[in-house]
Amino acid sequence: MAAVQRTVIENCAIATVDAKDTEYARGHLVLAGNRIESLGAGPAPEGLREVVRRIDASGHLATPGLVNTHHHFYQWLTRGLATDRNLFDWLIALYPTWAHIDEPMVHAAAQGSLAMMARGGVTTAVDHHYVFPRGAGDLSGALVRAARDMGVRFTLARGSMDHGEKDGGLPPDFAVESLEDALAATEETVRQHHDASFDAMTRVAVAPCSPFSVSTELMREGAELARRLGVRLHTHGSETEEEEKFCHERFGMGPTDYFASTGWLGEDVWMAHCVHMNDSDIAAFARTGTGVAHCPSSNARLAAGLARVPDLLAAGVPVGLGVDGTASNESGELHTELRNALLVNRLGVHREAALDTRGALRLGTYGGARVLGRADEIGSLEPGKLADLVLWRMDTLAHSSIADPVAALVLGAAAPVTASFVNGRQIVENGRLLTADEDAIARTTRAEARRLARIAARD
């Protein structure tokens, strides 16, 4: 067998985000293959064999790669629309356009979404894709292919909707599936693409869209399917006051109680947003280990409200960060959510005690890994874990006068990414992708966005 090749990174500050929040003002990391072999203060040990590369990371901060726990890649093609509407009105405005997406559009949008995140330090991304127009092609395959080619670790949350306009739902009937088709297609997606191994680059979750676009039968049978196949479950939950009202009117209970009644609370479940939750809802999430994808920019963009993140964390609920779809967070970046999460949560009742800089970094790294059930593999810099890490440049004009590098990363301007590694492979260098042509992606996404707009305008 060939000897394992090593990469040595030295002279950087390190925020490990381990259980003790261990940090080194000047330290080293040794990567062996796709694993972190060792790390610590000072220079790397002498006598290391098979060292193929040494990186002098002076002036940099090393952190775990960022983990994005909620997104809708296809929305890259509809950014900047319906900018002054709440969630329900925004959905009503955009669903008629989204109902016309096809495989080339979804692939291009996935490239754009992934490229923007990867060049900003994301090493693991989730896409919750739930719009499957009839005859649109292999949309799940397009998403998996885009992530594989970009080199980003990926969870495809295979979504579904079976309540269209004729059933009192929001999406056009053309864009929904039948209960049977949704379950069958989801199972086939798991069988084709899910990898349960420790260093898996692709995993699949079962992910019906939301209570107002999915039948109770699809929620219940989707949960049963996920547990039979041994995969995780994802959906939107408690995002708006309108959703709360909808659940009471249709089901006679609030969202959390409804989720409990359909089998959608548990350590294998995470939900996006979770803005409107009372104390008993939070207690139920904590008791069952149900996770939350906190999306501060999208929540603000759609005027959804302020999630009770400090209370969720205090109760022990797993919480990570999400970009959400780029039609409600046009920047498409996760590293800006570190800052936004801290600032937005300090507007709540906990004020300055709501979240600190290291807590924000933890949300974007280990918290996200925990939400995705991968905390043993990624999310912190520790020997034996996968080599998913980022080198942030901290000696430029934007950050050089901030002594604390973690505070600089979270509170300062968006920091340049000098290097990003996924599974031991470098995918970003000096802010540019090594695995894709950004300019070509920009041209393709622009063309596909215009094609989608033309098709939708003819409808």
Side-chain angles (χ1 to χ4, degrees):
M1 295 180 61
V4 175
Q5 295 186 331
R6 290 177 172 83
T7 296
V8 176
I9 303 169
E10 295 180 293
N11 302 320
C12 55
I14 301 173
T16 68
V17 199
D18 64 9
K20 297 180 180 180
D21 268 333
T22 304
E23 296 182 11
Y24 303 102
R26 192 174 186 86
H28 69 273
L29 298 108
V30 179
L31 314 183
N34 70 345
R35 306 291 180 95
I36 299 170
E37 184 175 65
S38 64
L39 73 163
E46 298 287 343
L48 291 172
R49 300 175 64 85
E50 301 298 330
V51 175
V52 296
R53 187 178 181 196
R54 288 185 179 271
I55 299 174
D56 180 359
S58 299
H60 288 76
L61 170 67
T63 73
L66 301 183
V67 179
N68 177 32
T69 59
H70 184 67
H71 210 309
H72 308 296
F73 291 173
Y74 74 91
Q75 292 180 13
W76 188 265
L77 303 184
T78 56
R79 295 190 295 166
L81 304 177
T83 57
D84 302 308
R85 305 194 187 196
N86 66 23
L87 175 67
F88 273 30
D89 291 342
W90 175 84
L91 289 171
I92 290 168
L94 293 177
Y95 266 137
T97 297
W98 294 340
H100 294 286
I101 60 173
D102 59 21
E103 185 175 342
M105 292 177 191
V106 168
H107 183 259
Q111 287 183 310
S113 297
L114 287 160
M116 201 68 196
M117 286 187 290
R119 66 200 294 272
V122 169
T123 56
T124 296
V126 169
D127 185 47
H128 185 190
H129 188 90
Y130 51 84
V131 181
F132 290 89
R134 288 186 284 277
D138 182 9
L139 304 190
S140 293
L143 293 164
V144 170
R145 187 169 71 253
R148 180 197 64 211
D149 293 345
M150 197 74 63
V152 173
R153 206 177 297 279
F154 181 52
T155 293
L156 170 58
R158 203 291 181 183
S160 53
M161 301 185 293
D162 67 340
H163 262 197
E165 289 175 321
K166 68 179 176 58
D167 303 308
L170 293 178
D173 295 327
F174 179 72
V176 302
E177 302 170 284
S178 69
L179 169 66
E180 296 76 15
D181 287 347
L183 291 169
T186 301
E187 181 167 2
E188 181 59 24
T189 301
V190 174
R191 297 199 183 283
Q192 282 189 23
H193 299 296
H194 181 69
D195 181 357
S197 61
F198 181 89
D199 58 355
M201 292 297 291
T202 305
R203 288 190 178 168
V204 178
V206 175
C209 182
S210 63
F212 46 83
S213 58
V214 170
S215 68
T216 298
E217 292 76 18
L218 182 51
M219 291 296 292
R220 185 174 292 117
E221 293 186 39
E224 293 171 356
L225 173 66
R227 289 174 177 132
R228 174 166 59 83
L229 298 176
V231 299
R232 298 181 73 77
L233 301 86
H234 181 51
T235 192
H236 296 91
S238 302
E239 185 173 0
T240 64
E241 291 178 346
E242 291 84 0
E243 180 185 334
E244 177 89 15
K245 181 180 178 182
F246 176 91
C247 287
H248 277 286
E249 290 178 350
R250 174 161 287 199
F251 310 120
M253 64 187 87
T256 299
D257 289 337
Y258 174 66
F259 289 132
S261 74
T262 57
W264 274 78
L265 295 182
E267 292 182 352
D268 54 355
V269 180
W270 85 102
M271 299 190 193
H273 303 295
C274 298
V275 174
H276 297 277
M277 298 181 72
N278 58 34
D279 290 347
S280 64
D281 297 329
I282 292 174
F285 272 53
R287 183 174 61 251
T288 58
T290 305
V292 171
H294 176 43
C295 305
S297 292
S298 178
N299 293 344
R301 160 79 151 80
L302 296 174
L306 181 61
R308 296 175 59 185
V309 171
D311 298 325
L312 290 164
L313 293 171
V317 175
V319 181
L321 290 181
V323 170
D324 203 9
T326 48
S328 65
N329 180 1
E330 275 75 3
S331 77
E333 297 178 309
L334 192 71
H335 60 313
T336 54
E337 298 302 284
L338 302 175
R339 186 174 192 265
N340 292 344
L342 185 149
L343 298 180
V344 165
N345 281 285
R346 287 189 178 183
L347 295 175
V349 296
H350 296 278
R351 300 180 65 180
E352 70 275 6
L355 193 65
D356 62 19
T357 56
R358 282 155 179 82
L361 179 59
R362 180 169 289 272
L363 286 181
T365 53
Y366 185 84
R370 188 179 172 204
V371 162
L372 299 184
R374 304 198 70 168
D376 291 338
E377 307 159 22
I378 59 175
S380 61
L381 301 179
E382 302 180 69
K385 283 200 168 184
L386 295 169
D388 292 10
L389 64 142
V390 180
L391 294 177
W392 309 90
R393 189 172 177 188
M394 291 296 162
D395 60 358
T396 67
L397 173 65
H399 304 92
S400 60
S401 60
I402 305 176
D404 178 352
V406 175
L409 176 67
V410 174
L411 292 174
V417 174
T418 293
S420 182
F421 293 84
V422 182
N423 217 40
R425 175 195 184 196
Q426 187 173 351
I427 66 167
V428 175
E429 184 170 37
N430 295 325
R432 298 287 293 184
L433 292 168
L434 297 175
T435 53
D437 183 335
E438 296 177 29
D439 296 331
I441 291 173
R443 290 192 296 272
T444 302
T445 56
R446 185 183 303 114
E448 291 296 335
R450 290 173 176 172
R451 184 167 72 90
L452 175 59
R454 288 196 301 271
I455 293 171
R458 292 199 298 265
D459 191 20

